[in-house]
């Protein structure tokens, strides 16, 4: 896969801006709805700087999708998406990530927001260690179609071209009847990891739930949030 200069510059820019130390940030989901002192550890995707933050707001506004239901937050990173679901009505949230730092970060935020009794956290490749089905599965997947570099955090944004297909191959086994998959996308990353283009190849139905030109510190351009069904 060869990238355009604009794509490579964007990747370099994102990686350069992920050399952060541990920090705490207030994440504004909506007016008066703030996740105070949200923890972000080194080598974890910064949810306040990317379209992850639009997804967390969207999940806040669309809490009917997970009210009293079970959610899987796949590739949980800091835990932002599942934490929002846990706070705003989910019955249970299961978090999964392949890397150690996101698992530690998610556990800290679970404690921070007192969600211990309704959450489980598993480290593994996609659904490797998940034994249960969910009504809503969220995956803010690595968008860029090249392999990770030696910089640890790169696994958060550089997914190669296999992660999305492995996810779509197995996700059906973890979805309750009528269940929904939610995936965001930053379109500058191209078509290979665009769920709107790739999900139908796995027999899944896709609709655009949200699409807009956005401007967030590290992501400026067209983004979508897709609603995907079996
Ligand atoms: C774009 S980040 C999203 C983080 C967080 N969910 C958010 O919205 O800010 C993608 C996450 O997927 C994880 N990941 C990458 N490949 C994975 C795999 N095969 N299985 C599980 N998690 C994976 C990365 O470690 C990273 O935390």
């Amino acid at each position: 896969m060869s990238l355009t200069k604009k794509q490579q510059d964007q990747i370099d820019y994102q990686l350069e801006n992920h050399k952060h130390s541990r920090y705490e940030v207030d994440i504004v989901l909506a007016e008066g709805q703030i996740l105070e002192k949200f923890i972000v550890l080194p080598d974890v995707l910064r949810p306040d700087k990317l379209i992850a933050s639009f997804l967390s707001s969207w999940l806040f506004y669309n809490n009917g999708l997970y009210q009293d239901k079970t959610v899987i937050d796949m590739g949980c990173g800091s835990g932002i998406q599942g934490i929002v679901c846990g706070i705003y009505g989910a019955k249970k949230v299961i978090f999964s990530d392949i890397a150690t730092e996101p698992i530690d970060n998610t556990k800290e935020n679970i404690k921070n927001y007192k969600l211990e009794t309704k959450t489980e956290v598993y480290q593994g490749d996609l659904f490797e260690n998940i034994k249960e089905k969910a009504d809503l599965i969220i995956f803010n997947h690595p968008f860029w179609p090249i392999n990770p570099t030696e910089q640890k955090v790169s696994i958060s944004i550089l997914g190669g071209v296999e992660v999305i297909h492995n996810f779509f191959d197995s996700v059906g086994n973890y979805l309750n009847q009528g269940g929904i998959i939610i995936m965001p996308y930053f379109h500058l990353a191209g078509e290979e990891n665009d769920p709107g283009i790739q999900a139908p190849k796995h027999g899944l139905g896709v609709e655009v739930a949200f699409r807009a030109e956005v401007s967030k510190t590290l992501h400026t351009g067209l983004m979508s949030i897709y609603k995907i069904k079996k």
Side-chain angles (χ1 to χ4, degrees):
M1 158 75 205
S2 64
L3 298 171
T4 64
K5 180 168 185 318
K6 190 173 177 190
Q7 289 175 319
Q8 190 59 59
D9 286 350
Q10 174 68 27
I11 292 170
D12 294 345
Y13 176 59
Q14 287 181 220
L15 291 176
E16 189 54 38
N17 280 280
H18 274 83
K19 294 180 176 166
H20 56 282
S21 307
R22 175 197 171 97
Y23 66 97
E24 290 182 4
V25 59
D26 291 347
I27 295 187
V28 180
L29 300 172
E31 205 176 317
Q33 297 293 332
I34 301 167
L35 288 185
E36 285 178 9
K37 298 189 174 178
F38 191 84
I39 298 162
V40 184
L41 296 187
D43 299 319
V44 175
L45 189 95
R46 305 178 70 182
D48 51 317
K49 298 284 181 199
L50 294 150
I51 63 172
S53 67
F54 288 101
L55 179 60
S56 56
S57 285
W58 187 89
L59 288 168
F60 163 75
Y61 282 111
N62 289 275
N63 67 344
L65 285 176
Y66 52 83
Q67 210 57 222
D68 297 319
K69 293 182 175 169
T70 299
V71 175
I72 295 175
D73 180 357
M74 180 53 65
C76 54
S78 59
I80 179 77
Q81 315 304 345
I83 296 277
V84 169
C85 297
I87 293 174
Y88 294 100
K91 182 175 68 183
K92 179 172 184 180
V93 186
I94 300 162
F95 297 86
S96 173
D97 203 291
I98 198 165
T100 307
E101 295 79 7
I103 293 295
D104 293 343
N105 199 159
T106 294
K107 286 180 178 168
E108 280 205 46
N109 278 317
I110 285 173
K111 204 169 163 210
N112 212 10
Y113 297 101
K114 301 185 172 45
L115 294 170
E116 293 95 328
T117 56
K118 57 158 89 174
T119 53
E120 289 173 11
V121 186
Y122 298 102
Q123 184 169 3
D125 184 1
L126 296 172
F127 297 96
E128 191 181 3
N129 291 313
I130 296 182
K131 307 275 178 279
E132 212 178 311
K133 293 188 178 192
D135 307 292
L136 175 65
I137 300 179
I138 304 158
F139 192 18
N140 179 9
H141 62 302
F143 298 155
W144 297 94
I146 58 169
N147 292 327
T149 64
E150 71 288 346
Q151 190 178 337
K152 259 189 184 178
V153 74
S154 68
I155 198 170
S156 297
I157 68 166
L158 308 179
V161 287
E162 284 179 1
V163 176
I164 194 169
H165 293 290
N166 292 341
F167 173 75
F168 286 140
D169 278 343
S170 50
V171 68
N173 301 326
Y174 296 88
L175 211 50
N176 282 327
Q177 187 136 23
I180 288 175
I181 304 156
I182 294 292
M183 297 178 78
Y185 199 60
F186 178 55
H187 289 271
L188 180 60
E191 296 192 348
E192 283 96 333
N193 284 324
D194 182 343
I197 293 168
Q198 303 306 330
K201 296 181 183 170
H202 295 260
L204 298 163
V206 186
E207 70 181 75
V208 176
F210 176 83
R211 176 167 284 169
E213 290 281 342
V214 297
S215 181
K216 197 76 190 170
T217 324
L218 304 180
H219 270 157
T220 296
L222 187 67
M223 72 159 284
S224 297
I225 294 175
Y226 293 109
K227 202 182 268 190
I228 302 168
K229 289 182 189 170
K230 270 207 236 183

